Amino acid sequence: MAAKSDGAAVSVEDDNTPRSLSEPGNPAARPRCTAAGGKPYTLLDCCWVLCALLVFFSDGATDLWLAADYYLRGENWWFGLTLVFVVVPSAVVQVLSFRWFVYDYAELTAAGDGTLSTKDSDQRGGSAVAVNAANVTPVYASSAPPATAGRVGTPWRCCTVCMWVFQTVLHVLHLGQVWRYIHALYLGAKSRWNSNGPRRQFHWRLMFESADITMLRLLEAFLKSAPQLVLQLSIMVHESGVLPLQGLSASASLVSLAWMIASYQKVLRDSRDDKLPMSYKAVIAQMLWHFFTIGARTVAFALFASVFQLYFGIFIVSHWCVMTFWIIQGETDFCMSKWEEIIYNMVVGIIYIFCWFNVKEGPSRFRMTVYYSVTLAENVALTAAWYTYRDPQTADSSALVVVCLVACSFALGTFFMLVYYCWLHPDGPVLGSQWGGCVDEGVVGSGGVAGVIDACLTPSQGSQTDIVITSPPRTLPRTKDTGEPVPGERERDRERDRDSCLPVFQVRPSPSSSPALLHRTSSSSRAHEGPVIRIDLPRKRYPAWDAHFIDRRLRKTILLLETTSGISPRIQYRSSMMGSKEVLEYETTV
């Protein structure tokens, strides 16, 4: 099968066919593909999804309960604002979720009818799909031959209509995410209970569903939970009192924000085979980090907004504009088109109002330090302005307690951030390490040693087999006369010139302290069965999602191939098609 997506060719090859490139000595014969099987689905993964469902229901239920309480108390203004911050963001997320369902399920329906169509590929990408009968055999929805496939047309259409009605009702009731969570649990259970062969057939569906859930919930958290948290805290400060429902709603919103940021980072790392997965200890540490920093941030917002409503709006808009411009200047690479990238940057600008969110590959310590320095200065200024111009009825002791609460919350968040980076980061301790050379692309050698994208190694992690790439001599060897050169003199000159050249960079194997990544990559290299989808696009670099997670047409190609062939395919991008020598020469030339 061959296809194109936004001008990028997508070719499917059967990895069972013998090739001349499969020789061990050929660097191009060892391309790194994404793992087809993934790690086994565990009980902890199931518990994590169930806890995510609990967080989702608690956040929405407490907000609705509080809105009803405001209505019964006759506080129509607070009732209206609370209800708007619940309904409008949820409606936006439901529309996006249903749009994804319409696109995905329409193609699965076409696959069930025995056709391999790629909807909108001709309209958007200007391409078509061709099926190579030698490698891919269509599989029909029933066990009957193609001539009798029309006999099951009526039951299949009834099931399709029922599914459309069911999904429509779910999204109208704002329960689209609940269905996606339940579907992820089902896919995880199926992959757990089946053998190794059928397990891989559920891997892509589970990863795609998990990615959709985290993207939708992260968007909903910062469109609904974050404004709701600021609103309820402002009402508490304005009325100089805390109702039990207000505290419950604010706590649920804060937990939802911290939970979704940590969950997003975990699923993003799990989706990439060039990154080590995040442990649940690291996820909890990251959740506590964001819980306390966002808590301090929102309390400072609420204090300032209770006194300066107009200036608070100006401050929020100004901060969002500055953060969005900063993100755009960083030239992120998340989406498939320029305008989608701009919209994405604007959404991330909203996230930057409340917390740090890494969107740029490479070391982020400098950018994180700048962001938290600005955040700390803003928190101090907002809290000081409230303390100076607060309501005279507020006692000094109560005001000092609130100020200490903001300071201690931010300090605790910084502490858990250091704990995460010093002890629980998936790539090992980050702070205090001496960074060495960075490997741009990973290739699995015949000995099983993996080079990892963005794996920055310390000098102590080098070995005697380091590959040193030097620049050419700046000057040509000088000759003493025009006669015949002395035997051996040319060789000595070459040795002297080579020794005098400083290395441009060094490429070292991946650290021995990362056995999980070595096993993950080496197991991918051993899985030679099944087709390989070669995408004529450079692979997006972390922390971006891979293109086959963002572009739903690539998703469709993977799922259709998995449906028709019965074997889970592997993905290979343009940069991983080159051998290690070609990649190094390209980087040296640049």
Side-chain angles (χ1 to χ4, degrees):
M1 181 169 16
K4 289 184 180 180
S5 177
D6 292 334
V10 181
S11 62
V12 180
E13 298 183 8
D14 193 352
D15 210 23
N16 292 325
T17 58
R19 299 191 192 97
S20 59
L21 292 178
S22 59
E23 298 175 1
N26 194 345
R30 302 185 297 268
R32 182 179 51 79
C33 303
T34 59
K39 65 183 184 67
Y41 195 78
T42 62
L43 182 61
L44 281 177
D45 297 329
C46 179
C47 293
W48 182 261
V49 176
L50 292 176
C51 291
L53 270 173
L54 179 62
V55 171
F56 172 79
F57 280 118
S58 62
D59 188 17
T62 53
D63 291 342
L64 291 176
W65 191 5
L66 181 59
D69 184 71
Y70 283 144
Y71 179 77
L72 295 176
R73 290 173 178 270
E75 299 177 347
N76 296 329
W77 181 246
W78 300 138
F79 161 74
L81 287 177
T82 303
L83 192 61
V84 164
F85 284 134
V86 173
V87 175
V88 175
S90 181
V92 172
V93 173
Q94 298 303 317
V95 169
L96 182 59
S97 175
F98 189 75
R99 181 177 178 271
W100 288 353
F101 162 76
V102 169
Y103 189 87
D104 295 338
Y105 190 71
E107 301 313 316
L108 291 178
T109 304
D113 293 334
T115 59
L116 290 177
S117 63
T118 53
K119 183 180 179 181
D120 295 338
S121 60
D122 293 331
Q123 299 172 2
R124 299 181 186 180
S127 61
V129 175
V131 180
N132 189 347
N135 297 331
V136 180
T137 303
V139 177
Y140 293 88
S142 65
S143 58
T148 61
R151 299 177 183 176
V152 295
T154 302
W156 178 261
R157 292 191 188 94
C158 291
C159 294
T160 302
V161 171
C162 291
M163 178 58 72
W164 278 95
V165 173
F166 177 69
Q167 288 291 334
T168 303
V169 172
L170 276 179
H171 285 83
V172 168
L173 296 177
H174 292 233
L175 297 176
Q177 297 97 308
V178 177
W179 167 254
R180 291 183 179 273
Y181 275 124
I182 295 174
H183 191 214
L185 285 173
Y186 166 76
L187 294 174
K190 292 289 287 185
S191 65
R192 177 72 177 178
W193 293 336
N194 284 279
S195 59
N196 188 37
R199 177 188 301 170
R200 290 198 299 268
Q201 299 182 17
F202 294 97
H203 171 69
W204 286 117
R205 289 176 173 83
L206 177 60
M207 292 306 302
F208 289 156
E209 195 67 78
S210 300
D212 287 345
I213 294 172
T214 53
M215 291 180 196
L216 291 172
R217 288 286 291 127
L218 185 70
L219 178 63
E220 184 181 28
F222 282 95
L223 290 182
K224 183 183 79 172
S225 301
Q228 192 73 254
L229 177 60
V230 176
L231 174 64
Q232 301 309 322
L233 291 176
S234 301
I235 295 174
M236 296 177 198
V237 176
H238 179 76
E239 297 183 350
S240 300
V242 180
L243 298 175
L245 281 179
Q246 288 176 334
L248 194 60
S249 174
S251 301
S253 298
L254 184 56
V255 170
S256 180
L257 284 168
W259 183 283
M260 286 318 304
I261 296 175
S263 179
Y264 177 89
Q265 295 296 334
K266 175 174 175 53
V267 175
L268 176 59
R269 276 190 166 268
D270 289 344
S271 69
R272 300 188 62 106
D273 64 335
D274 58 343
K275 290 294 178 180
L276 285 169
M278 186 183 296
S279 66
Y280 282 104
K281 292 181 181 179
V283 174
I284 294 175
Q286 193 173 113
M287 187 174 66
L288 293 174
W289 156 25
H290 292 295
F291 180 87
F292 287 108
T293 53
I294 295 176
R297 185 74 166 163
T298 51
V299 170
F301 284 169
L303 295 175
F304 187 78
S306 65
V307 181
F308 306 98
Q309 290 83 7
L310 178 62
Y311 291 110
F312 175 71
I314 296 175
F315 165 77
I316 290 295
V317 173
S318 302
H319 183 89
W320 174 76
C321 292
V322 172
M323 291 292 107
T324 302
F325 179 76
W326 186 34
I327 297 168
I328 293 176
Q329 287 296 107
E331 298 180 353
T332 59
D333 184 23
F334 271 69
C335 302
M336 304 302 294
S337 66
K338 177 182 178 182
W339 293 109
E340 290 177 350
E341 193 72 30
I342 293 176
I343 294 174
Y344 172 81
N345 292 335
M346 295 171 67
V347 174
V348 175
I350 298 176
I351 299 177
Y352 269 43
I353 295 175
F354 298 93
C355 67
W356 165 259
F357 189 77
N358 189 21
V359 295
K360 179 72 173 171
E361 61 90 13
S364 58
R365 282 179 289 180
F366 175 74
R367 289 179 283 116
M368 187 183 297
T369 302
V370 171
Y371 174 82
Y372 277 112
S373 299
V374 173
T375 300
L376 178 61
E378 289 177 347
N379 290 350
V380 170
L382 296 176
T383 308
W386 169 81
Y387 186 84
T388 304
Y389 298 98
R390 70 184 187 276
D391 190 349
Q393 297 180 355
T394 305
D396 292 342
S397 58
S398 301
L400 286 176
V401 169
V402 174
V403 172
C404 292
L405 177 65
V406 175
C408 293
S409 180
F410 190 84
L412 278 174
T414 306
F415 169 75
F416 282 110
M417 178 184 68
L418 295 177
V419 168
Y420 170 74
Y421 279 108
C422 290
W423 289 286
L424 299 175
H425 195 276
D427 295 335
V430 175
L431 296 179
S433 61
Q434 299 286 336
W435 296 103
C438 294
V439 183
D440 182 63
E441 185 68 32
V443 178
V444 181
S446 58
V449 179
V452 184
I453 294 180
D454 296 335
C456 296
L457 311 179
T458 59
S460 60
Q461 292 168 337
S463 63
Q464 296 179 356
T465 60
D466 293 344
I467 304 173
V468 180
I469 300 179
T470 59
S471 58
R474 298 181 181 273
T475 58
L476 294 175
R478 296 182 179 179
T479 55
K480 297 181 180 180
D481 51 37
T482 57
E484 291 292 330
V486 180
E489 182 179 355
R490 183 171 300 177
E491 286 74 12
R492 288 194 301 270
D493 290 339
R494 290 176 180 174
E495 292 290 339
R496 183 173 61 254
D497 291 332
R498 185 169 62 250
D499 295 338
S500 63
C501 296
L502 296 177
V504 178
F505 58 85
Q506 295 182 353
V507 180
R508 299 185 176 94
S510 60
S512 58
S513 60
S514 302
L517 186 58
L518 294 179
H519 170 74
R520 195 171 180 179
T521 316
S522 60
S523 63
S524 172
S525 65
R526 290 193 301 266
H528 290 296
E529 69 277 0
V532 177
I533 300 178
R534 305 186 189 277
I535 303 174
D536 190 19
L537 281 174
R539 187 174 188 181
K540 293 180 179 293
R541 306 186 68 175
Y542 183 84
W545 293 89
D546 282 323
H548 59 277
F549 280 87
I550 300 298
D551 193 335
R552 307 192 82 82
R553 287 161 291 174
L554 295 177
R555 284 195 189 191
K556 173 187 54 183
T557 304
I558 295 171
L559 294 179
L560 286 178
L561 180 64
E562 186 178 63
T563 303
T564 55
S565 64
I567 300 176
S568 184
R570 293 180 291 137
I571 310 299
Q572 187 179 76
Y573 285 88
R574 180 199 300 163
S575 56
S576 59
M577 297 179 190
M578 298 185 296
S580 58
K581 182 178 180 180
E582 293 174 296
V583 173
L584 298 179
E585 289 179 352
Y586 174 77
E587 291 295 329
T588 309
T589 305
V590 173

